[in-house]
Each structure stands twice: as structure tokens, then as C-alpha cells.
Amino acid sequence: MADWPIGVFTSIDAGLGVKLEVVQELGIPTLQLHAPHRSTRTPSAAEQFVERLDQLNIELTAVFGGFEGESYADIPTVSRTVGLVPPETRAERLREMFEISDFARLLGCDVIALHLGFVPHDRSLPLYEEVLQVTRQLCKHASQNDQALHLETGQETGEALLAFIADSECDNLFVNFDPANMILYGTGDPIETLKQIGSYVRSVHCKDALASDQPGVTWGREMPLGEGQVDMELYLQTLKEIGYLGPLTIEREIPQEPARQKQEIEHAASLLTKLKKKLLA
Ligand code: MG
């Protein structure tokens, strides 16, 4: 793979990514995939998808898990509904992540990823230990499929994330860094955090946002790339400094407006291509 190939977050029938047709039309060479619904996670569906990617010469770089019942409506709702943290759904969602890991293996993909949810900041809480346990179980399953697990950033500060990864003692646990999430959730400066956790960053999102006037209490606002508070040139420069030259995966989650979504992704790809030329020259 060439350095910093452009990528895009994609959906088949679940999640908020763009459709594969858009990736093809824009000539983007890599994608991350939101795992499809269970009924579509079959060996024959996997085979067809792999064939299609081969024909289009597109490389799949990560499969993201997501669950029924998750809502990003506001920050308290995220805390209550997202990922493997909520106790009521944890066992069932862990089983589903095992299935997603197995499906990703059928797709020949060695990275699975997810929003783990809000990990408690107080490491002495029983819930913290429970979240560590479930993460270890998932890492173990992923490892049996020769996969790494990437945690989507946003809900934790860099410091909390480093502590959590160290406490997990998993050697296949890494980070999918999303600078916009840090702004949306109000969890810290994305560039400083990227430097802090750089050695664990194995995939990234290129997404932009404006901070809330009540950071950590209400949402910031997702923005088209280049129009928010992520300094994209500094972001890429910092990725270069930490030695990250993997895919630059554009994430723009407005599937209700497909025409605008495509246009903004096209614009993001051209912005990133321009910065790439400058920074990798
Ligand atoms: Mg993201």
C-alpha cells in the first residue's frame, strides 16, 4: 500500500457510512466497513463482497462493529446505549462482536474496531474491571482470527486511554484515532492527544467538528473537512511525526443527505490529496 492512501467509511446495509458505489465513483482506493446486519454476514455475502472489492481494486482496511439500540442523540444517551459498557446488553453484544470478527476474517480483514462506550474514569469502580474483562475476551477472540482490535477514540482523554490499554494487558489492542470526536465530546486537544497516544494509533478517521459551548455536556457539531477546528495540515503533519502512514479514512455521517455526503467526501479527498503532496514531498 502506498503511503497515506485515501479511504472512506462505508456501509452496506447498517451504519452511517457511504455506499460502495460512491467509493467506486470517487476512485478511492481503501475503505473501512461498518459491519452489515446479521442476516448479511454470511459466507456467500462475504465472498461476493471480496470479489467486488477485487474487481474495483479497493482494499478493505477495517471492519467496525455497531449494535442495535445504540444512539448518539446526546452525550448521556451515548453513555447509556453505546458499545460494550452498558451491562444489560454486554453479553449479547460481545457474542455479536465475535460474529463480526469471524465475518471480518471471511473478508480477509485483520482489523476489527468499535466504539467501546464510556469507560469509567474511576479505575477503582467494578464497572472499570468489567469493561477490561469484556475487552480482553474480545481481544482474545480477535487474536484467534489473527486480528487486532482498534478502539475508536472520543469518549476518553488520551491519559485514560493509555491507562486502559496498559491495564488490559492485551497485545493486539490499538487505537483508531478520530480528531473530531475529541472536539465533539470535549475530551481534549486532538493534536496533543495524538502525540500522547501515537504509538497505539494504527488507523485514523479524517473528520472535522466545532466544539460545543458546553464541552462534555452537549455535543459539538460535525463539519465538512477543513471547516471545523481540526487543523488538517497539523493533523497530517503530526501523523507523519508519529510514523503513521496508513490509510486516511474520511468519515462523514450524513446518510440522510446522500448527494451532500458524496460531494463533501469528494472535497475532503481532494483536500487530503493536496496536503499529502505537500507533506510527503
Ligand atoms: Mg470516527
Side-chain angles (χ1 to χ4, degrees), residues 200-213:
Y200 290 100
V201 173
R202 298 292 168 92
S203 57
V204 303
H205 285 162
C206 293
K207 191 169 90 183
D208 212 342
L210 291 175
S212 156
D213 52 7

Side-chain angles (χ1 to χ4, degrees), residues 32 61-62 64 111 113 150 174-178 200-205 235 244 247 249:
Q32 291 184 346
T61 61
F64 270 70
V111 176
H150 294 189
F174 297 102
V175 164
N176 180 84
F177 189 78
D178 186 324
Y200 290 100
V201 173
R202 298 292 168 92
S203 57
V204 303
H205 285 162
Y235 179 44
Y244 179 87
T249 304

Side-chain angles (χ1 to χ4, degrees), residues 23-41:
V23 187
Q24 179 189 3
E25 282 161 23
L26 297 179
I28 290 176
T30 76
L31 60 81
Q32 291 184 346
L33 180 69
H34 188 290
H37 290 303
R38 179 175 272 133
S39 56
T40 324
R41 291 197 300 261

Side-chain angles (χ1 to χ4, degrees), residues 141-157:
H141 190 95
S143 161
Q144 287 160 357
N145 280 333
D146 298 317
Q147 292 160 338
L149 173 63
H150 294 189
L151 300 178
E152 170 87 349
T153 55
Q155 291 101 332
E156 281 70 46
T157 61

Side-chain angles (χ1 to χ4, degrees), residues 4 191 194 231-244 275 278-280:
W4 279 349
I191 303 297
L194 180 58
D231 180 333
M232 279 300 150
E233 180 164 348
L234 186 58
Y235 179 44
L236 265 60
Q237 178 64 41
T238 309
L239 287 173
K240 188 179 165 185
E241 280 165 22
I242 65 165
Y244 179 87
L275 289 172
K278 182 171 173 188
L279 295 172
L280 295 182

Side-chain angles (χ1 to χ4, degrees), residues 156-169:
E156 281 70 46
T157 61
E159 200 179 338
L161 209 52
L162 285 179
F164 184 80
I165 292 172
D167 288 343
S168 79
E169 298 175 338

